[in-house]
Amino acid sequence: MTQDLTIKQRMALPRTEMLERPGDARAKDFEEVNLGFSWELAQLEAARCIECKRPTCIEGCPVGVRIDLFLKRLASGDVDGAAAVIAEDNLLPAICGRVCPQESQCEGACVLGRKGKPIAIGHLERYVADHSRKAAQPSIAPSGFQIAVVGSGPAGLACAADLARSGHAVTVFEALHRAGGVLAYGIPEYRLPREVVDHEIEGLERMGVEIRTNVVIGRTLDLAAIRSAFDAVFIGVGAGLPRFIGIPGENLIGVFSANEFLTRVNLMRAHEPGSQTPVFDVRDKRVAVFGGGNTAMDGVRTALRMGAREASIWYRRTRAELPARKEEVRHAEEEGVRFRFLVSPLEFSGGEGRLRAVRFQTMELGEPDASGRRRPVPVAGDVREEPVDMAIIAIGNAPNPLLASTVPELVRSQSGTLEVDETTGQTSLPGVFAGGDIVTGGATVISAMGAGRRAAAAIGDYLAARSQPASSSPVWADD
Ligand code: FAD
Ligand code: SF4
């Protein structure tokens, strides 16, 4: 049995790598790339844990999953027990196991990584989430309080789950026709299958959370109406406003924001025959994606799957500074994505309104900037031009402005993020809390979930200080 191994034997075990579909096969479809662990491999990998006295991996996880304990249960064969440990801190383990940047979080802090390879914590979390039988939720006495959650991304979902677990009646309002936020409209299916997201959302609905899609707060309903109908409000509207480079030619046909391109494909199925959603026909075209983060990798790999002749990443720094998850970069390379480093676009040029070429400046690395990364500086006189048929701009997103712009009392920073109390998530309006990308700017799934959970705890305290619910009957018109 693996749990009888000595520390020395455990340390001698090599890291178990997850099986993946071959690059050339997977680059043509949207099926999931990673194939997951078998039962035997999951147990073997979990047995590599040397049960450190101070498990630094837990400190590396933004929501503090008890990694040591879940690995111990898994190594002993108790998958449901392992799932119960994870569920105490992480509502969406099947998702986090797939999309967390583990190398800079839990795995980055694993002691084994100092001399060798860290434990594959993310892959094991995914295994446990995919293979455990979920225990039935114990029924909880209703508190009588009603809470509105605006936005159904990871921040809103995590907040809603914790509030529902405390017996509060929760209604989630989502602007799009499908719940999940970036999990539904941004991250492609070959990384995060939709059934995984839908399964987690169904679990929330089974807990009694009501999800109302196609409701834009600030348009369909205003925040004042929501505040008067509910005892407290959580805002988790994310950062989905695309940033553009600000160079000539960005309005040519063929230049897209990554958000628009990915939303059309992921949410509106633009890649499927008969889809009513227009998207640029990338078949046999040269597609250039500008940026180096997860969104850029998602854009370029999606373009490749849609039949691009050449799909390339254009990044103004070098490989070492790429902010995307390492696994995404490796997968992109294996699938045939071309990487262009130290290049910065100056102008898109075209003919008859359509994109034809990009003029760009070659760069070199200078001194470190405020982020600690070496600043890219132009190489004097080295300006070139290259033909491209489609450009996807993936240089980041700004906070969604719609809701806050209709409520001047909500204090915002210069960059448009909501100002909140760091501990509680309380905004400038009493009873209105916020968290996730709308507060931090674009970050990670797990950090948004952590913020949602902290706000849920603070909402619980806020309600406890009130003697009885003040919420009225629902305010929406379609009932
Ligand atoms: P969102 O997920 O943005 O959800 C906000 C929701 O609010 C949306 O559904 C939106 O429609 C809704 N909304 C907005 N305005 C209103 C309104 N007025 N009324 C009602 N609803 C409204 N992170 C990782 O950890 N790993 C990854 O691999 C990763 N890949 C990414 C890939 C892409 C393409 C993108 C864009 C992001 C990625 N991220 C990744 C970042 C991560 O997805 C976000 O940090 C996270 O989703 C933020 O969660 P959120 O709940 O704050 O906001
Ligand atoms: Fe690691 Fe993310 Fe799981 Fe935390 S939630 S243990 S950071 S994979």
Side-chain angles (χ1 to χ4, degrees):
M1 291 294 284
T2 46
Q3 72 261 39
D4 298 329
L5 298 174
T6 63
I7 299 263
K8 210 170 163 194
Q9 286 168 324
R10 286 164 191 251
M11 289 183 76
L13 289 172
R15 173 168 158 134
T16 313
E17 296 303 342
M18 195 193 283
L19 289 177
E20 297 168 354
R21 298 173 60 222
D24 53 347
R26 67 183 193 235
K28 297 184 181 72
D29 64 38
F30 284 77
E31 299 294 314
E32 192 171 10
V33 168
N34 287 330
L35 295 173
F37 279 148
S38 65
W39 169 227
E40 290 74 20
L41 290 183
Q43 269 195 307
L44 196 62
E45 182 60 15
R48 289 181 65 225
C49 176
I50 54 171
E51 298 177 23
C52 303
K53 280 216 174 65
R54 192 187 130 215
T56 45
C57 52
I58 300 179
E59 293 163 28
C61 170
V63 294
V65 167
R66 287 291 315 272
I67 298 164
D68 55 339
L69 198 53
F70 106 69
L71 293 181
K72 195 171 177 167
R73 297 236 172 122
L74 184 58
S76 73
D78 180 9
V79 187
D80 292 341
V85 171
I86 296 173
E88 281 175 29
D89 301 296
N90 187 355
L91 165 78
L92 307 171
I95 294 170
C96 295
R98 285 172 165 88
V99 305
C100 268
Q102 286 98 8
E103 67 265 24
S104 57
Q105 297 183 349
C106 50
E107 293 183 25
C110 170
V111 166
L112 294 189
R114 290 187 200 154
K115 286 198 177 151
K117 290 191 174 177
I119 295 188
I121 298 166
H123 292 172
L124 289 174
E125 191 174 37
R126 169 198 154 131
Y127 177 87
V128 170
D130 287 356
H131 292 85
S132 65
R133 282 163 293 135
K134 293 231 162 98
Q137 290 288 332
S139 55
I140 301 153
S143 68
F145 288 108
Q146 298 190 44
I147 327 287
V149 169
V150 185
S152 67
L157 295 178
C159 186
D162 276 3
L163 291 167
R165 278 183 188 147
S166 304
H168 306 307
V170 185
T171 306
V172 178
F173 295 100
E174 167 55 50
L176 297 172
H177 65 272
R178 195 166 178 159
V182 171
L183 308 175
Y185 78 76
I187 302 181
E189 297 218 41
Y190 53 82
R191 276 213 294 139
L192 182 59
R194 284 304 160 264
E195 67 253 25
V196 174
V197 180
D198 290 347
H199 181 78
E200 303 291 8
I201 291 170
E202 281 158 24
L204 262 190
E205 288 177 320
R206 279 197 299 276
M207 288 165 70
V209 173
E210 187 187 357
I211 300 184
R212 299 182 68 88
T213 51
N214 295 314
V215 184
V216 185
I217 305 301
R219 284 278 186 281
T220 328
L221 286 173
D222 62 27
L223 188 67
I226 298 274
R227 285 184 76 202
S228 64
F230 290 87
D231 296 290
V233 180
F234 174 76
I235 301 176
V237 291
L241 185 71
R243 287 206 171 96
F244 284 91
I245 309 171
I247 58 174
E250 266 182 309
N251 56 354
L252 287 167
I253 297 170
V255 182
F256 283 77
S257 75
N259 256 28
E260 179 186 349
F261 177 66
L262 288 170
T263 304
R264 283 186 190 276
V265 177
N266 293 329
L267 205 60
M268 291 137 102
R269 325 296 304 170
H271 56 298
E272 289 178 355
S275 165
Q276 299 298 304
T277 304
V279 74
F280 199 82
D281 184 0
V282 301
R283 277 173 301 176
D284 215 25
K285 304 277 182 359
R286 291 160 298 202
V287 181
V289 179
F290 296 87
N294 289 323
T295 309
M297 298 305 145
D298 288 342
V300 80
R301 295 173 69 198
T302 297
L304 204 62
R305 281 162 173 77
M306 292 173 72
R309 166 166 35 121
E310 183 186 295
S312 54
I313 286 284
W314 293 55
Y315 183 55
R316 61 196 188 121
R317 290 181 156 104
T318 69
R319 172 183 298 274
E321 289 86 24
L322 277 174
R325 295 176 73 225
K326 279 197 177 126
E327 186 180 77
E328 306 319 322
V329 176
R330 177 172 63 78
H331 282 170
E333 266 179 334
E334 288 169 2
E335 288 165 10
V337 168
R338 186 174 163 218
F339 282 80
R340 307 285 308 267
F341 294 113
L342 294 168
V343 285
S344 180
L346 296 172
E347 180 180 4
F348 294 118
S349 56
E352 296 162 359
R354 288 184 174 272
L355 176 68
R356 299 269 183 261
V358 56
R359 201 161 65 84
F360 62 96
Q361 166 77 62
T362 58
M363 314 291 280
E364 60 188 352
L365 289 184
E367 295 301 312
D369 63 14
S371 71
R373 298 180 304 170
R374 289 177 65 195
R375 187 192 307 271
V377 288
V379 176
D382 195 354
V383 173
R384 307 176 193 194
E385 188 170 276
E386 206 166 289
V388 291
D389 306 301
M390 180 185 184
I392 299 176
I393 314 297
I395 56 163
N397 292 316
N400 282 328
L402 197 143
L403 191 154
S405 66
T406 62
V407 190
E409 306 90 312
L410 269 177
V411 176
R412 286 185 283 174
S413 71
Q414 268 194 333
S415 63
T417 53
L418 289 183
E419 298 275 3
V420 300
D421 178 287
E422 262 183 40
T423 320
T424 62
Q426 164 93 45
T427 67
S428 48
L429 288 176
V432 179
F433 297 75
D437 282 5
I438 186 63
V439 169
T440 55
T444 61
V445 170
I446 194 69
S447 56
M449 282 179 56
R453 297 202 68 191
R454 283 192 298 281
I459 290 173
D461 294 343
Y462 169 80
L463 297 175
R466 294 171 47 171
S467 53
Q468 57 186 32
S471 46
S472 61
S473 50
V475 283
W476 39 95
D478 59 346
D479 273 351

